Amino acid sequence: SVAVTYTKGAAVIRQLAALIGDDALRARLIDYMRRFGGGTASLDDLVACWGRSSGRDLDGWAREWLRTAGASTLRASVTAGPDGTLASLAVEQDEPRTHRLGIGLYDRSDDGSLRRRRVISAEVSGARSEVPVQPAQPVPAAVVPNDGDLTYAEIAFDPATLEALAGAVMITGDQLTEAVGWNAVWRMVTSGALSGADFAGLVTRRIGAQALPPAAGVEALLERAVTAADL
């Protein structure tokens, strides 16, 4: 399908750029064209070019991302210490892949809006990856895996994060992160975890708050809201 061929492909390349860097990605594409332009080449040849530029073996990455179907579902797991501060942060995934991603920590303001405290850049792999956190900081109101939409994955929000995002009508201050949030709550609708009425109401409140950013996919979001309301 078009979504798999183009949308997923672009997202995977974006994730590779996050993993090895934009400069390495572009430099070795040029190298690849110089080596194989006008001839034939294999996927392994392309991956080897990227591997040389990044200094890391990307055979495992190619196996996870290019030769394995489906997408991982990422969840943030937060533990509070006895004093109420953030004790630990982990990212869990059901179909383990290596991801270079941002993890957004958000605080709730008095008016219910969200303010991004910081984004932790982390490389995660395996079913559960512990992420280092600064000591003696409060537990955030919301934790958003894939903040900034650097990787291709489904996102599952913990109840506290979902409540905080809904209270802020999904406004995070970053349009790509907001798009990640909308895709996550729509997945909850299609899986039966969130009612269509709640989703339609959330979109209605969002429209009344401020203009939707282009990255949120305004047409798709409105179409989903109408579909949810009809059902």
Side-chain angles (χ1 to χ4, degrees):
S1 71
V2 171
V4 172
T5 302
Y6 294 101
T7 308
K8 181 178 180 180
V12 169
I13 295 302
R14 178 173 169 82
Q15 167 55 197
L16 180 61
L19 188 66
I20 68 173
D22 287 334
D23 291 342
L25 181 77
R26 293 191 177 98
R28 287 308 170 179
L29 279 176
I30 295 172
D31 176 47
Y32 174 76
M33 294 304 296
R34 286 173 176 165
R35 287 172 182 265
F36 302 105
T40 58
S42 67
L43 175 61
D44 290 338
D45 293 323
L46 176 59
V47 172
C49 283
W50 279 326
R52 281 191 292 272
S53 67
S54 63
R56 61 188 296 169
D57 185 355
L58 293 178
D59 288 343
W61 176 88
R63 182 176 62 256
E64 293 174 349
W65 285 96
L66 304 179
R67 294 189 169 96
T68 303
S72 307
T73 298
L74 303 178
R75 300 172 180 83
S77 175
V78 174
T79 303
D83 58 355
T85 60
L86 180 62
S88 68
L89 170 63
V91 174
E92 301 171 346
Q93 50 179 322
D94 58 352
E95 296 184 25
R97 290 178 171 85
T98 299
H99 302 263
R100 166 62 66 174
L101 47 71
I103 305 167
L105 308 184
Y106 290 81
D107 297 314
R108 185 187 284 110
S109 301
D110 292 338
D111 61 0
S113 63
L114 290 178
R115 176 181 57 82
R116 187 161 63 186
R117 180 192 307 173
R118 63 176 300 209
V119 177
I120 301 173
S121 178
E123 185 173 318
V124 302
S125 60
R128 179 181 174 90
S129 298
E130 297 290 337
V131 179
V133 296
Q134 295 177 339
Q137 62 175 314
V139 174
V143 180
V144 180
N146 199 22
D147 194 286
D149 194 27
L150 292 179
T151 194
Y152 179 79
E154 303 282 2
I155 304 300
F157 293 129
D158 63 90
T161 293
L162 180 61
E163 180 184 357
L165 287 171
V169 290
M170 308 303 288
I171 298 174
T172 62
D174 179 89
Q175 60 176 323
L176 289 175
T177 303
E178 181 173 347
V180 168
W182 283 117
N183 283 331
V185 294
W186 177 247
R187 181 170 177 264
M188 293 179 67
V189 175
T190 60
S191 66
L194 182 69
S195 74
D198 286 343
F199 180 83
L202 181 59
V203 175
T204 301
R205 290 192 293 117
R206 175 64 182 86
I207 292 171
Q210 62 179 245
L212 281 157
V218 177
E219 291 183 3
L221 185 60
L222 293 176
E223 182 180 354
R224 289 173 176 178
V226 170
T227 299
D230 286 343
L231 295 175

